Each structure stands twice: as structure tokens, then as C-alpha cells.
């Protein structure tokens, strides 16, 4: 993998004007193996579909004649001000979508002032990505997503590499002690092609294989011996100077426990519908997570965010920022760095339009954008219409 900027300046086809257009175009161009991996969810994909449907079903309240001049999309997150509330979610093996992989995503995120969360399972070295992002003065936050490895020594070294490279926070993913039941991937016979691998995990000693006696479960008596627990969160906090956020929080009690441990933030996420199918759409649980955190720590959200209106709704429900997953992959597959940048540009532009049409000058006013239960749309009664 060359440590150079993406060279081929690719163009986004002019008929692509939305994230859904990116998805349709990408489906025609990605091979079936990559498509199954990127697009699929767990089992019957109920949660995958519910994620975007839940945002769609939240109505926005248009407001008129409010002063809008000087408005902006800036947010405060972990003590800094950023241009807008969008981060690229951690997505593994991006070189399956485009030869430049995570490098292209990093250039695009930095150029568009979006945050970047690099996956533990990235297919480009974490140091290369950090160099690219940190060189851009207009960049957004740079975070490293961590899957705890069974070997604590290796995990500690990985954390030290991320710190040394300049990552500003660790995002510990806690919702995937095992993969979900990925039927679509299995039907497609998904496999990683030669040359694409989790390069940052090179040298990680293989997990000891448990010898199972009859009646023992490969999951409970094997893999899950090393599954992280709350004690590991505390351990991680003890070995790093970086703020630690937990990704994959869907239950208010877990959010309270995270807050009690002093984590720096939580990400309300169901892994894009890839782990536990029929778990709730993030838009529906976000308000309870926000309430549980009681303003003590920021709550971010991902899953099914496909429009600027979705971003505004997430902030209206109390999120500080959002992450987008698959749409960035579609942009990447369609046009490399230019494609990811286009996806981010569309979301930023749509967010501004949504703010203007709901009378919001800043995102601090976002809460007014939703038709809250206390303030229903006042439709006239039949009696009044007569
Ligand atoms: C192909 C793919 C790979 C992913 N890899 C990771 C990963 O390595 N680490 C992680 O924490 N989440 C991973 N996720 C979950 C995303 O970070 C994010 O939670 C999800 O994609 C958001 O939903 P969306 O795709 O609907 O925007 C992955 C998601 C997809 C689709």
C-alpha cells in the first residue's frame, strides 16, 4: 500500500446527487463478495432496515420567518470546536471497496472537516492515516476504534501506537464480542481477497484454541473466554491518557454504567444492524440513552443516517454528533477520495438546508426541529373547518 495521496483524480458521475444514488451506483460496480460484506446485516436484516426507517418516520417541524443569517453547523466535542457534527464510522477492510481504501477516506474526511474513526481492522497502517489527517488544518477529530485483543500486551502496544501516531480518542467497540449471524455473507461465500488484511493486527499472537469436551460450546467455552467485560474498560482507561468512548450502547443501564466509569462519551449504535438482529433502531433508543447520560457525557449515534435531515433529527434528540458508515463506502467504491468527499459534502449541504427550513441558526437550537409530543401540529378540527 503506497504512503502517497490517492493519485487517480476520479470524478463522481453527475447523476449522483444523494447518498441513495451513491448506493445504487456502488451496487452496480462492486463485486458480489464485497457487496455482501458491506451491504449486509445480521440474520433477516430487520435492524438494518429499521435504522433508516426510524429516522424517516420522525417528522420535522418547518418554521418560517426566523432570522438565519450567520448560522453555522459548529459543535463542541471533547473540549474542542469542530466545523460540523459528522464523523466517518469505523469500517473494516476498506480496500475491498477501492485500492486506496482508508487512505482515500482519510483525505476526504480531513478535506471536508469531518471526523475519522479508524477501525482496528483497517487495511492501511494507522500511522499512515494519522499523518494524512493531522497534516490538514481544516480536519475534524481523529479517533482510533479498538477491539480488545485476547492478548493484553498486544492491545497495550496497539494503544501506544495510536497514542504515538496522534489519535485523540479511543473508541472501544463493545457490542460485538462475537460476530452476528451474517446470513447474507455466508450465502455469498464471503472471503477476504489476497492482499487485503487487518494490517494493524499483524503480529498479534493467535488466540489459544480451547480443547472442547463433548457438550461444550465453541462460543461460551471457547471464543467468549476472552470477551471484554466492564473490568476491561477500567483497565483500558488505566493504561491510556486518551479519552475512551464506548461504541455500541443501546441500553440506558449500560449508559449509566459507562458514565459511572468516567468514560468520555458513548456511541448509541447497533453496529449498523450487523450484530443482534431485531435490536432496536438507534433513533428509537437515542432519547433514553441521552436521558441516562444526563448531560454528564456526550452521546453520539450511528445507524441508517442517509440525509442531512437525519443528522438534524439526531441532534434534536440530544446527540452531539453522528457517524456514517456504509454511505462512505459507496462513495469510496464510486470515486475513491472524491466519492467519500462527495458523500460528506452532500450531508453537510443537506444539513444546512434542513436547519434553514426548520428555522435553526445553530445546532444548539436543534431540539425545536421535532414535533415533540408536548407540541403536536395543531391541525384544525372538522368542526373548525365547517
Ligand atoms: C462493512 C462494515 C464494517 C464495519 N466494521 C466495523 C469495525 O471494524 N469496527 C466497528 O466498531 N464498527 C464497524 N462497523 C459498524 C460501523 O462502525 C457503524 O456502526 C455502522 O456502519 C453504522 O451504520 P450505517 O452503515 O447504517 O451508517 C462496520 C460496518 C460495516 C457496514
Amino acid at each position: 500500500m503506497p504512503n502517497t495521496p490517492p493519485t487517480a483524480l476520479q470524478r463522481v458521475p453527475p447523476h449522483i446527487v444523494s447518498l441513495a444514488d451513491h448506493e445504487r451506483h456502488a451496487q452496480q460496480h462492486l463485486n458480489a463478495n464485497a457487496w455482501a460484506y458491506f451491504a449486509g446485516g445480521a440474520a433477516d436484516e430487520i435492524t438494518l432496515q429499521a435504522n433508516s426507517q426510524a429516522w424517516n418516520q420522525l417528522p420535522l417541524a418547518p418554521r418560517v420567518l426566523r432570522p438565519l443569517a450567520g448560522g453555522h453547523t459548529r459543535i463542541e466535542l471533547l473540549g474542542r470546536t469542530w466545523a460540523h457534527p459528522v464523523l466517518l464510522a469505523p469500517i473494516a477492510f476498506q480496500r475491498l471497496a477501492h485500492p486506496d481504501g482508508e487512505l482515500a477516506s482519510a483525505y476526504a474526511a480531513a478535506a471536508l472537516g469531518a471526523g475519522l474513526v479508524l477501525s482496528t481492522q483497517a487495511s492501511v497502517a494507522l500511522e499512515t492515516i494519522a499523518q494524512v489527517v493531522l497534516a490538514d488544518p481544516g480536519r475534524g477529530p481523529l479517533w482510533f476504534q479498538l477491539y480488545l485483543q485476547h492478548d493484553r500486551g498486544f492491545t497495550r502496544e496497539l494503544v501506544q501506537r495510536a497514542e504515538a501516531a496522534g489519535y485523540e480518542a479511543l473508541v472501544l467497540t463493545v457490542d460485538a464480542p462475537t460476530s452476528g449471524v451474517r446470513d447474507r455473507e455466508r450465502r455469498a461465500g464471503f472471503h477476504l481477497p489476497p492482499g487485503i488484511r487487518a494490517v494493524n493486527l499483524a503480529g498479534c499472537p493467535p488466540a489459544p484454541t480451547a480443547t472442547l469436551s463433548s457438550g461444550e460450546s465453541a462460543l461460551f467455552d471457547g471464543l467468549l473466554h476472552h470477551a471484554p467485560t466492564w473490568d476491561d474498560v477500567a483497565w483500558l482507561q488505566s493504561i491510556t491518557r486518551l479519552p475512551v468512548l464506548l461504541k455500541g450502547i443501546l441500553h440506558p443501564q449500560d449508559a449509566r454504567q459507562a458514565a459511572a466509569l468516567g468514560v468520555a462519551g458513548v456511541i448509541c449504535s447497533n453496529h449498523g444492524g450487523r450484530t443482534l438482529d431485531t435490536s432496536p433502531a438507534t433513533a428509537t433508543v437515542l432519547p433514553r440513552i441521552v436521558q441516562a447520560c444526563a448531560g454528564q457525557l456526550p452521546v453520539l449515534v450511528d445507524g441508517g443516517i442517509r440525509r442531512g435531515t437525519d443528522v438534524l433529527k439526531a441532534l434534536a434528540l440530544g446527540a452531539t454528533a453522528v457517524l456514517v458508515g456504509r454511505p462512505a463506502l459507496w462513495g469510496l467504491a464510486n470515486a475513491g477520495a472524491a466519492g467519500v468527499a462527495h458523500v460528506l459534502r452532500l450531508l453537510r449541504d443537506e444539513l444546512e438546508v434542513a436547519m434553514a427550513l426548520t428555522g435553526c441558526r445553530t445546532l444548539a437550537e436543534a431540539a425545536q426541529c421535532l414535533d415533540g409530543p408536548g407540541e403536536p401540529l395543531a391541525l384544525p378540527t372538522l368542526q373548525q373547518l365547517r
Side-chain angles (χ1 to χ4, degrees), residues 157-175:
E157 279 168 27
L158 193 58
V159 167
Q160 286 166 350
R161 276 176 66 192
E163 286 178 353
Y167 288 82
E168 296 156 328
L170 297 175
V171 173
L172 179 66
T173 299
V174 291
D175 62 0

CSV table of all heavy atoms in Angstrom, one decimal, residues 157-175:
chain,number,residue,atom,x,y,z
A,157,GLU,N,0.2,-2.4,23.3
A,157,GLU,CA,1.1,-1.9,22.2
A,157,GLU,C,0.3,-1.2,21.1
A,157,GLU,O,0.7,-0.1,20.6
A,157,GLU,CB,1.9,-3.0,21.6
A,157,GLU,CG,3.1,-3.5,22.4
A,157,GLU,CD,3.7,-4.8,21.9
A,157,GLU,OE1,3.5,-5.0,20.6
A,157,GLU,OE2,4.3,-5.5,22.7
A,158,LEU,N,-0.9,-1.7,20.8
A,158,LEU,CA,-1.7,-1.1,19.8
A,158,LEU,C,-2.2,0.3,20.3
A,158,LEU,O,-2.2,1.3,19.5
A,158,LEU,CB,-3.0,-2.0,19.5
A,158,LEU,CG,-3.8,-1.7,18.3
A,158,LEU,CD1,-3.0,-1.7,17.0
A,158,LEU,CD2,-5.0,-2.7,18.2
A,159,VAL,N,-2.6,0.4,21.5
A,159,VAL,CA,-3.0,1.7,22.1
A,159,VAL,C,-1.8,2.6,22.1
A,159,VAL,O,-2.0,3.8,21.8
A,159,VAL,CB,-3.5,1.4,23.5
A,159,VAL,CG1,-3.7,2.7,24.3
A,159,VAL,CG2,-4.8,0.7,23.5
A,160,GLN,N,-0.6,2.1,22.4
A,160,GLN,CA,0.5,3.0,22.4
A,160,GLN,C,0.9,3.5,21.0
A,160,GLN,O,1.2,4.7,20.9
A,160,GLN,CB,1.7,2.3,23.0
A,160,GLN,CG,1.6,2.1,24.6
A,160,GLN,CD,2.6,1.2,25.2
A,160,GLN,OE1,3.3,0.4,24.5
A,160,GLN,NE2,2.7,1.1,26.5
A,161,ARG,N,0.7,2.7,20.0
A,161,ARG,CA,0.9,3.1,18.7
A,161,ARG,C,-0.1,4.2,18.3
A,161,ARG,O,0.3,5.2,17.6
A,161,ARG,CB,0.7,1.9,17.7
A,161,ARG,CG,1.9,1.1,17.5
A,161,ARG,CD,1.6,-0.1,16.6
A,161,ARG,NE,1.3,0.2,15.3
A,161,ARG,CZ,0.7,-0.6,14.3
A,161,ARG,NH1,0.5,-1.8,14.6
A,161,ARG,NH2,0.5,-0.1,13.1
A,162,ALA,N,-1.4,4.0,18.7
A,162,ALA,CA,-2.4,5.0,18.3
A,162,ALA,C,-2.1,6.3,19.0
A,162,ALA,O,-2.2,7.4,18.4
A,162,ALA,CB,-3.8,4.5,18.8
A,163,GLU,N,-1.6,6.3,20.3
A,163,GLU,CA,-1.3,7.5,21.0
A,163,GLU,C,-0.1,8.2,20.3
A,163,GLU,O,-0.1,9.4,20.1
A,163,GLU,CB,-0.9,7.2,22.4
A,163,GLU,CG,-2.0,6.8,23.3
A,163,GLU,CD,-1.6,6.4,24.8
A,163,GLU,OE1,-0.3,6.3,25.0
A,163,GLU,OE2,-2.5,6.2,25.6
A,164,ALA,N,0.9,7.4,20.0
A,164,ALA,CA,2.1,8.0,19.4
A,164,ALA,C,1.8,8.6,18.0
A,164,ALA,O,2.4,9.6,17.6
A,164,ALA,CB,3.2,6.9,19.3
A,165,ALA,N,0.9,8.0,17.3
A,165,ALA,CA,0.6,8.5,16.0
A,165,ALA,C,-0.3,9.8,16.0
A,165,ALA,O,-0.4,10.5,15.0
A,165,ALA,CB,-0.2,7.4,15.2
A,166,GLY,N,-0.9,10.1,17.2
A,166,GLY,CA,-1.6,11.4,17.3
A,166,GLY,C,-3.1,11.2,17.3
A,166,GLY,O,-3.8,12.2,17.2
A,167,TYR,N,-3.6,10.0,17.5
A,167,TYR,CA,-5.1,9.8,17.6
A,167,TYR,C,-5.5,10.5,18.9
A,167,TYR,O,-4.7,10.5,19.9
A,167,TYR,CB,-5.5,8.3,17.6
A,167,TYR,CG,-5.3,7.8,16.2
A,167,TYR,CD1,-4.1,7.3,15.7
A,167,TYR,CD2,-6.4,7.7,15.4
A,167,TYR,CE1,-4.0,6.9,14.4
A,167,TYR,CE2,-6.3,7.2,14.1
A,167,TYR,CZ,-5.1,6.8,13.6
A,167,TYR,OH,-4.9,6.3,12.4
A,168,GLU,N,-6.7,11.1,18.9
A,168,GLU,CA,-7.1,11.9,20.0
A,168,GLU,C,-8.1,11.3,21.0
A,168,GLU,O,-8.4,11.8,22.0
A,168,GLU,CB,-7.8,13.2,19.4
A,168,GLU,CG,-6.8,14.0,18.7
A,168,GLU,CD,-7.4,14.9,17.6
A,168,GLU,OE1,-8.5,14.6,17.0
A,168,GLU,OE2,-6.8,16.0,17.4
A,169,ALA,N,-8.6,10.1,20.6
A,169,ALA,CA,-9.5,9.4,21.5
A,169,ALA,C,-9.5,7.9,21.0
A,169,ALA,O,-9.2,7.6,19.9
A,169,ALA,CB,-10.9,9.9,21.4
A,170,LEU,N,-9.9,7.0,22.0
A,170,LEU,CA,-10.1,5.6,21.6
A,170,LEU,C,-11.6,5.3,21.7
A,170,LEU,O,-12.3,5.7,22.6
A,170,LEU,CB,-9.4,4.7,22.6
A,170,LEU,CG,-7.9,4.9,22.7
A,170,LEU,CD1,-7.3,4.0,23.8
A,170,LEU,CD2,-7.2,4.5,21.4
A,171,VAL,N,-12.1,4.6,20.7
A,171,VAL,CA,-13.5,4.2,20.6
A,171,VAL,C,-13.5,2.7,20.8
A,171,VAL,O,-13.1,2.0,19.9
A,171,VAL,CB,-14.1,4.6,19.3
A,171,VAL,CG1,-15.5,4.0,19.1
A,171,VAL,CG2,-14.1,6.1,19.1
A,172,LEU,N,-13.9,2.3,22.0
A,172,LEU,CA,-13.9,0.9,22.3
A,172,LEU,C,-15.3,0.3,21.9
A,172,LEU,O,-16.3,0.7,22.4
A,172,LEU,CB,-13.7,0.6,23.8
A,172,LEU,CG,-13.7,-0.8,24.3
A,172,LEU,CD1,-12.5,-1.6,23.7
A,172,LEU,CD2,-13.7,-0.9,25.8
A,173,THR,N,-15.2,-0.6,20.9
A,173,THR,CA,-16.5,-1.2,20.4
A,173,THR,C,-16.8,-2.4,21.4
A,173,THR,O,-16.0,-3.3,21.5
A,173,THR,CB,-16.3,-1.7,19.0
A,173,THR,OG1,-16.0,-0.5,18.2
A,173,THR,CG2,-17.6,-2.3,18.5
A,174,VAL,N,-18.0,-2.3,21.9
A,174,VAL,CA,-18.4,-3.3,23.0
A,174,VAL,C,-19.6,-4.2,22.6
A,174,VAL,O,-20.0,-5.0,23.4
A,174,VAL,CB,-18.7,-2.5,24.3
A,174,VAL,CG1,-17.4,-1.9,24.9
A,174,VAL,CG2,-19.8,-1.5,24.1
A,175,ASP,N,-20.1,-4.0,21.4
A,175,ASP,CA,-21.3,-4.7,21.0
A,175,ASP,C,-21.0,-5.9,20.1
A,175,ASP,O,-22.0,-6.5,19.6
A,175,ASP,CB,-22.3,-3.8,20.3
A,175,ASP,CG,-21.8,-3.2,19.0
A,175,ASP,OD1,-20.6,-3.5,18.6
A,175,ASP,OD2,-22.5,-2.4,18.4
